[in-house]
Amino acid sequence: MAGGSDTAETVTLTCARCGKPSHLQCPKCMDLKLPREGAAFCSQDCFKASWSTHKAVHLKAKLSSIGTGNSGEHNSDFANEGWLYCLKKGQARTPKLPHFDWTGTLRPYPISSKREVPPHIDRPDWADDGIPKIEPNSDFQHVVEIKKPDQIEKMREVGRISREVLDAAARVIRPGITTDEIDRVVHEATIAAGGYPSPLNYHFFPKSCCTSVNEVICHGIPDARKLEDGDIVNVDVTVYYKGYHGDLNETYFVGEVDEESRRLVQCTYECLEKAIAMVKPGVRFRDVGEVINRHASMSGLSVVRSYCGHGIGELFHCAPNIPHYGRNKAVGVMKAGQTFTIEPMINAGVWRDRMWPDGWTAVTADGKRSAQFEHTLLVTETGVEVLTARLPTSPKVFPWLN
Ligand SMILES: [Zn+2]
Ligand SMILES: [Zn+2]
C-alpha cells in the first residue's frame, strides 16, 4: 500500500511512528506534494499502525489548499471538493453538491465559519490542529478506568453543565430556526459556563455540537437549513470542563410531528431508560444491546450497528465500547467507578447506515427516520447514577414525561 520511494535525493528520513530510518513514503502525501518529513515510514506495519491518525494530515492539507484558493488543478480526484470548499468557506453547497445517491430528502446546506473560543477557556489537545493526541494512545482505550472520588466529582460537575447546555438548545427549537443557530446557542452556553465544546475541531469536525435531522442517524453538521414543521432533530452536546467531558443527546419534535415519528422517538427514549435500569456492578456490557434490541424490535424498529456507546472522562471516547444491538461481542463486566455513555440510535426502517460525502453525516440506508437519546452514566456500588440527568429546570418537551 505504501510505496513510491523517492530516488532523487539522498536525505535520510525517519519513520513518523518509530523514528527508525525510512524509505517508504505515504503515496497520498506524495500525490498531495506534502513535506516528506512526517510522511515517511520504515515499514508497512508502521504505516498501517499510523494510518488512522496519519490520514488527518491529508484532509488538513486539502482544507488549507482550498482556503488559499488553489482548489482546482491537482485535486480532480477529490470527489469531496465541493464539500471541503463549503466546510472551509461556509459557502452555498448547493451548486457544487458532489454526485451522491441521497437516501432521503434531506440535503446539506452552507456551514458558517468557525466559532471562536476565548483564550481563558481550557482547551482539549485537538482544539488547534484537529488531531487528538493523548486519546488514541491512552491505555484507557483497552482498560476501563475506575475513577476515584475526586474524578467522579468532576464528572458530576461536567455532566450537569452539559445538561444545562443541551436544555438551552432544546428551548430554541421551533420551525424556522436553523441548526446553525442551535449550534450558536450550544457554543455560547458552553463558553458562558467556562467550558469548551468538545466536538469543535475534533478530527476536524467544524461545529460545536451535532444536529441530526430526520434520516440522519448521528454526527450531522449544523448548517443553514431551517427546521421544518414535522421534522425531528437530535442535538448531541459534549462539554469539556476542568479536564473532563460530559456527553448527552436528545431527539426533539419540531412543531407537529406525525404519529410514526412520535412512536419512534418515544421508543428510543424507552430503550435508553431500560438500558440504564440494568446498569450495576457485575452486568456484562454485551447485555446492554440485548435489552435495547428486544424493546426496539418489539415495536418493529431496528438498531444501528456502526455507532456505539463509549467510555468517557478525561478522554472524549475510550473503553468500554458498548454496542446497542443484540448478539454483540462486547467484552467485560461493569464495575463501580466506571463512567460511560449509552446512546441507542433506533431506525424506523432498516438498521443499515450510509455516510454522506462530508465524511461525518451518517444517514439511514433507506432514508427513513432515526432517533437517539444519550446519557453519561456512573456505575455505583449499588447501581447507576445518571450524570446528565434532567434537572427541575429542564424544559418539558416530551409528552410522555408530563
Ligand atoms: Zn454525544
Ligand atoms: Zn457519545
Side-chain angles (χ1 to χ4, degrees), residues 100-292:
F100 184 67
D101 188 12
W102 305 96
T103 69
T105 56
L106 198 75
R107 294 293 181 275
Y109 278 67
I111 293 170
S112 64
S113 53
K114 194 178 171 195
R115 297 186 206 283
E116 297 301 325
V117 177
H120 69 270
I121 287 180
D122 186 28
R123 307 152 75 81
D125 70 359
W126 55 82
D128 293 318
D129 66 0
I131 302 171
K133 292 147 205 87
I134 299 168
E135 184 171 290
N137 300 305
S138 167
D139 289 345
F140 295 130
Q141 294 305 338
H142 318 285
V143 179
V144 184
E145 182 178 25
I146 306 293
K147 291 191 173 63
K148 299 181 181 65
D150 61 307
Q151 296 179 292
I152 289 170
E153 206 35 61
K154 295 264 180 52
M155 288 300 293
R156 282 199 183 99
E157 202 175 6
V158 72
R160 184 185 40 80
I161 291 170
S162 320
R163 160 56 67 182
E164 285 169 345
V165 170
L166 181 66
D167 287 349
R171 287 189 192 98
V172 301
I173 288 175
R174 54 172 168 75
I177 194 174
T178 66
T179 48
D180 183 66
E181 288 169 80
I182 295 169
D183 181 73
R184 185 179 53 76
V185 169
V186 166
H187 187 85
E188 288 174 2
T190 302
I191 285 169
Y196 178 96
S198 312
L200 184 62
N201 215 21
Y202 182 71
H203 294 283
F204 306 106
F205 189 81
K207 289 284 140 196
S208 300
C209 64
C210 299
T211 53
S212 301
V213 176
N214 298 345
E215 71 261 33
V216 180
I217 293 168
C218 63
H219 301 164
I221 302 172
D223 67 19
R225 179 182 178 275
K226 289 188 167 93
L227 292 176
E228 293 172 8
D229 188 51
D231 284 346
I232 59 172
V233 59
N234 177 279
V235 181
D236 192 340
V237 163
T238 309
V239 172
Y240 180 71
Y241 182 74
K242 293 187 183 169
Y244 289 80
H245 298 273
D247 186 1
L248 80 162
N249 73 53
E250 290 182 338
T251 302
Y252 303 109
F253 301 124
V254 182
E256 275 309 309
V257 169
D258 65 53
E259 176 61 24
E260 193 187 350
S261 300
R262 287 203 299 256
R263 282 211 316 270
L264 169 69
V265 173
Q266 183 173 349
C267 180
T268 308
Y269 183 94
E270 292 163 355
C271 283
L272 176 57
E273 289 291 295
K274 286 178 188 297
I276 292 171
M278 68 187 286
V279 172
K280 64 176 183 192
V283 171
R284 296 180 298 189
F285 289 116
R286 63 181 226 209
D287 291 336
V288 170
E290 298 299 334
V291 166
I292 292 168

